[in-house]
Amino acid sequence: MNDDLDNPRNTDGPKDRKFVEALARGLDVLRAFSQGSVVMGNQDIARITGLPKPTVSRMTYTLTKLGYLSYSPQLEKYQLDSGVLALGYAYVSNLRVRQLAKPYMDEFARTTNTSVGLTCRDRLSMIYVENCRPAEATSLRMDVGVRLPLATTAAGRAYLAAMKDEERQHLLDAIRTRNPDNWAELEKGLEQSFADYAEHGFCLSLGDWDRNVNAAGVPLFLQDGTLMALTCGAPSYLVSEDKVKNQLAHQLAMLARDIERLGV
């Protein structure tokens, strides 16, 4: 079911006359493919988005005509088409911070033998917009477009820790609503991350997202006010918890400051 986070339809005040409901629903349909299977039918999309099936049918038909979805008659299901890829590529290729930060990230990845990622937030996820790895294929492979949960990853925790209190609480409420059964465990990890950030300037995920992965994350503040997050990580057999906490995390924080000084 769609969490509707950051969606103007959630507001309790007067209806926003500039808000185009049909367009929002069409984008909800496209977003459904980031939460479900690669190939989905109208019923699957309706379940994920919470939209009525007749509405979904009209949306998928229109999006197919526009080249954002393709339809398989054999499967009677839809998948994303090249129109979506073109939009995503245009965003990533024109992201100035990505272009300027990449040489610094490449060097960090090479010298530390870790995977270094640049991420931005989409609702309750962090999305990779760049990932650099050393020549050896022993570190994590996280391609552009990969989504990570906010609550358990170093990138997500760093992003949350750097937010203003009111904005952070809005996201924490949404995470709690989405994860009622394990919220107590998530909250404990988040509180520790916020304490780490307040004291050291970084957050950790030591087996919390993946029990075989140790990672550190730091926020990245762009000049236009945009908040992103840098992360570095590797399999736990390559980097110990102690190394991440006492060495790599501090180096990552310095990398973030170096990138910020580029004036992005």
Side-chain angles (χ1 to χ4, degrees), residues 116-133:
V116 184
L118 175 65
T119 63
C120 63
R121 183 178 71 87
D122 177 50
R123 300 194 176 187
L124 298 182
S125 300
M126 298 298 290
I127 300 179
Y128 271 86
V129 296
E130 184 59 87
N131 179 247
C132 300
R133 297 185 303 139

mmCIF file of all heavy atoms in Angstrom, residues 116-133:
data_model
loop_
_atom_site.group_PDB
_atom_site.id
_atom_site.type_symbol
_atom_site.label_atom_id
_atom_site.label_comp_id
_atom_site.label_asym_id
_atom_site.label_seq_id
_atom_site.Cartn_x
_atom_site.Cartn_y
_atom_site.Cartn_z
ATOM 1 N N VAL A 116 31.934 2.893 -2.152
ATOM 2 C CA VAL A 116 31.581 4.244 -1.719
ATOM 3 C C VAL A 116 30.373 4.708 -2.513
ATOM 4 O O VAL A 116 30.397 4.695 -3.754
ATOM 5 C CB VAL A 116 32.757 5.219 -1.917
ATOM 6 C CG1 VAL A 116 32.398 6.604 -1.376
ATOM 7 C CG2 VAL A 116 34.002 4.692 -1.230
ATOM 8 N N GLY A 117 29.325 5.111 -1.822
ATOM 9 C CA GLY A 117 28.092 5.476 -2.496
ATOM 10 C C GLY A 117 27.641 6.890 -2.198
ATOM 11 O O GLY A 117 27.843 7.403 -1.094
ATOM 12 N N LEU A 118 27.035 7.518 -3.188
ATOM 13 C CA LEU A 118 26.374 8.813 -3.040
ATOM 14 C C LEU A 118 24.886 8.563 -3.189
ATOM 15 O O LEU A 118 24.452 7.980 -4.188
ATOM 16 C CB LEU A 118 26.870 9.793 -4.103
ATOM 17 C CG LEU A 118 26.194 11.160 -4.154
ATOM 18 C CD1 LEU A 118 26.468 11.953 -2.881
ATOM 19 C CD2 LEU A 118 26.689 11.946 -5.377
ATOM 20 N N THR A 119 24.102 8.967 -2.200
ATOM 21 C CA THR A 119 22.682 8.613 -2.174
ATOM 22 C C THR A 119 21.801 9.830 -1.921
ATOM 23 O O THR A 119 22.224 10.812 -1.305
ATOM 24 C CB THR A 119 22.391 7.569 -1.080
ATOM 25 O OG1 THR A 119 22.684 8.151 0.211
ATOM 26 C CG2 THR A 119 23.237 6.318 -1.267
ATOM 27 N N CYS A 120 20.574 9.746 -2.409
ATOM 28 C CA CYS A 120 19.548 10.745 -2.113
ATOM 29 C C CYS A 120 18.303 10.016 -1.617
ATOM 30 O O CYS A 120 18.179 8.800 -1.772
ATOM 31 C CB CYS A 120 19.226 11.586 -3.346
ATOM 32 S SG CYS A 120 18.515 10.657 -4.724
ATOM 33 N N ARG A 121 17.397 10.764 -1.005
ATOM 34 C CA ARG A 121 16.207 10.127 -0.418
ATOM 35 C C ARG A 121 15.023 10.160 -1.370
ATOM 36 O O ARG A 121 14.790 11.149 -2.065
ATOM 37 C CB ARG A 121 15.801 10.823 0.881
ATOM 38 C CG ARG A 121 14.602 10.149 1.570
ATOM 39 C CD ARG A 121 14.239 10.829 2.877
ATOM 40 N NE ARG A 121 13.643 12.138 2.687
ATOM 41 C CZ ARG A 121 12.338 12.357 2.486
ATOM 42 N NH1 ARG A 121 11.491 11.339 2.421
ATOM 43 N NH2 ARG A 121 11.890 13.583 2.334
ATOM 44 N N ASP A 122 14.265 9.079 -1.388
ATOM 45 C CA ASP A 122 12.954 9.019 -2.021
ATOM 46 C C ASP A 122 12.005 8.357 -1.042
ATOM 47 O O ASP A 122 12.090 7.150 -0.790
ATOM 48 C CB ASP A 122 13.010 8.221 -3.326
ATOM 49 C CG ASP A 122 11.633 8.083 -3.961
ATOM 50 O OD1 ASP A 122 10.946 9.117 -4.100
ATOM 51 O OD2 ASP A 122 11.225 6.950 -4.284
ATOM 52 N N ARG A 123 11.135 9.175 -0.420
ATOM 53 C CA ARG A 123 10.202 8.670 0.584
ATOM 54 C C ARG A 123 10.940 7.947 1.695
ATOM 55 O O ARG A 123 11.764 8.552 2.384
ATOM 56 C CB ARG A 123 9.114 7.829 -0.073
ATOM 57 C CG ARG A 123 8.305 8.644 -1.089
ATOM 58 C CD ARG A 123 7.028 7.993 -1.523
ATOM 59 N NE ARG A 123 6.289 8.894 -2.406
ATOM 60 C CZ ARG A 123 5.064 8.666 -2.839
ATOM 61 N NH1 ARG A 123 4.429 7.556 -2.474
ATOM 62 N NH2 ARG A 123 4.459 9.529 -3.620
ATOM 63 N N LEU A 124 10.717 6.656 1.873
ATOM 64 C CA LEU A 124 11.355 5.946 2.985
ATOM 65 C C LEU A 124 12.563 5.129 2.528
ATOM 66 O O LEU A 124 12.932 4.150 3.175
ATOM 67 C CB LEU A 124 10.334 5.032 3.678
ATOM 68 C CG LEU A 124 9.141 5.740 4.306
ATOM 69 C CD1 LEU A 124 8.222 4.740 5.006
ATOM 70 C CD2 LEU A 124 9.586 6.826 5.270
ATOM 71 N N SER A 125 13.179 5.546 1.436
ATOM 72 C CA SER A 125 14.350 4.849 0.912
ATOM 73 C C SER A 125 15.453 5.844 0.580
ATOM 74 O O SER A 125 15.197 7.027 0.339
ATOM 75 C CB SER A 125 13.999 4.066 -0.365
ATOM 76 O OG SER A 125 12.999 3.101 -0.133
ATOM 77 N N MET A 126 16.673 5.333 0.548
ATOM 78 C CA MET A 126 17.801 6.062 -0.019
ATOM 79 C C MET A 126 18.140 5.391 -1.343
ATOM 80 O O MET A 126 18.111 4.158 -1.450
ATOM 81 C CB MET A 126 19.009 6.024 0.911
ATOM 82 C CG MET A 126 18.783 6.674 2.265
ATOM 83 S SD MET A 126 18.393 8.446 2.184
ATOM 84 C CE MET A 126 19.975 9.135 1.671
ATOM 85 N N ILE A 127 18.453 6.188 -2.358
ATOM 86 C CA ILE A 127 18.721 5.673 -3.689
ATOM 87 C C ILE A 127 20.137 6.039 -4.108
ATOM 88 O O ILE A 127 20.553 7.196 -3.983
ATOM 89 C CB ILE A 127 17.722 6.232 -4.718
ATOM 90 C CG1 ILE A 127 16.292 5.834 -4.341
ATOM 91 C CG2 ILE A 127 18.050 5.728 -6.120
ATOM 92 C CD1 ILE A 127 15.256 6.370 -5.306
ATOM 93 N N TYR A 128 20.868 5.061 -4.622
ATOM 94 C CA TYR A 128 22.208 5.310 -5.126
ATOM 95 C C TYR A 128 22.146 6.114 -6.425
ATOM 96 O O TYR A 128 21.460 5.728 -7.378
ATOM 97 C CB TYR A 128 22.928 3.990 -5.412
ATOM 98 C CG TYR A 128 23.673 3.427 -4.237
ATOM 99 C CD1 TYR A 128 23.035 2.629 -3.296
ATOM 100 C CD2 TYR A 128 25.033 3.688 -4.060
ATOM 101 C CE1 TYR A 128 23.720 2.108 -2.211
ATOM 102 C CE2 TYR A 128 25.729 3.165 -2.983
ATOM 103 C CZ TYR A 128 25.074 2.379 -2.064
ATOM 104 O OH TYR A 128 25.751 1.875 -0.990
ATOM 105 N N VAL A 129 22.874 7.248 -6.460
ATOM 106 C CA VAL A 129 23.033 7.990 -7.708
ATOM 107 C C VAL A 129 24.467 7.868 -8.225
ATOM 108 O O VAL A 129 24.767 8.270 -9.357
ATOM 109 C CB VAL A 129 22.659 9.477 -7.542
ATOM 110 C CG1 VAL A 129 21.186 9.619 -7.207
ATOM 111 C CG2 VAL A 129 23.515 10.160 -6.485
ATOM 112 N N GLU A 130 25.357 7.322 -7.396
ATOM 113 C CA GLU A 130 26.719 7.016 -7.818
ATOM 114 C C GLU A 130 27.290 5.968 -6.873
ATOM 115 O O GLU A 130 26.973 5.959 -5.681
ATOM 116 C CB GLU A 130 27.603 8.260 -7.809
ATOM 117 C CG GLU A 130 29.025 8.042 -8.326
ATOM 118 C CD GLU A 130 29.066 7.519 -9.755
ATOM 119 O OE1 GLU A 130 29.056 8.324 -10.700
ATOM 120 O OE2 GLU A 130 29.087 6.272 -9.889
ATOM 121 N N ASN A 131 28.111 5.083 -7.405
ATOM 122 C CA ASN A 131 28.794 4.088 -6.593
ATOM 123 C C ASN A 131 30.167 3.821 -7.188
ATOM 124 O O ASN A 131 30.299 3.632 -8.390
ATOM 125 C CB ASN A 131 27.997 2.783 -6.518
ATOM 126 C CG ASN A 131 28.706 1.721 -5.696
ATOM 127 O OD1 ASN A 131 29.134 0.703 -6.202
ATOM 128 N ND2 ASN A 131 28.839 1.972 -4.400
ATOM 129 N N CYS A 132 31.186 3.866 -6.337
ATOM 130 C CA CYS A 132 32.556 3.640 -6.780
ATOM 131 C C CYS A 132 33.139 2.463 -6.011
ATOM 132 O O CYS A 132 32.984 2.375 -4.793
ATOM 133 C CB CYS A 132 33.408 4.890 -6.549
ATOM 134 S SG CYS A 132 32.800 6.352 -7.429
ATOM 135 N N ARG A 133 33.818 1.582 -6.746
ATOM 136 C CA ARG A 133 34.445 0.419 -6.126
ATOM 137 C C ARG A 133 35.882 0.310 -6.601
ATOM 138 O O ARG A 133 36.222 0.795 -7.676
ATOM 139 C CB ARG A 133 33.708 -0.871 -6.523
ATOM 140 C CG ARG A 133 32.275 -0.948 -6.068
ATOM 141 C CD ARG A 133 31.700 -2.315 -6.401
ATOM 142 N NE ARG A 133 31.802 -2.601 -7.826
ATOM 143 C CZ ARG A 133 32.148 -3.768 -8.336
ATOM 144 N NH1 ARG A 133 32.466 -4.768 -7.533
ATOM 145 N NH2 ARG A 133 32.201 -3.949 -9.638
#
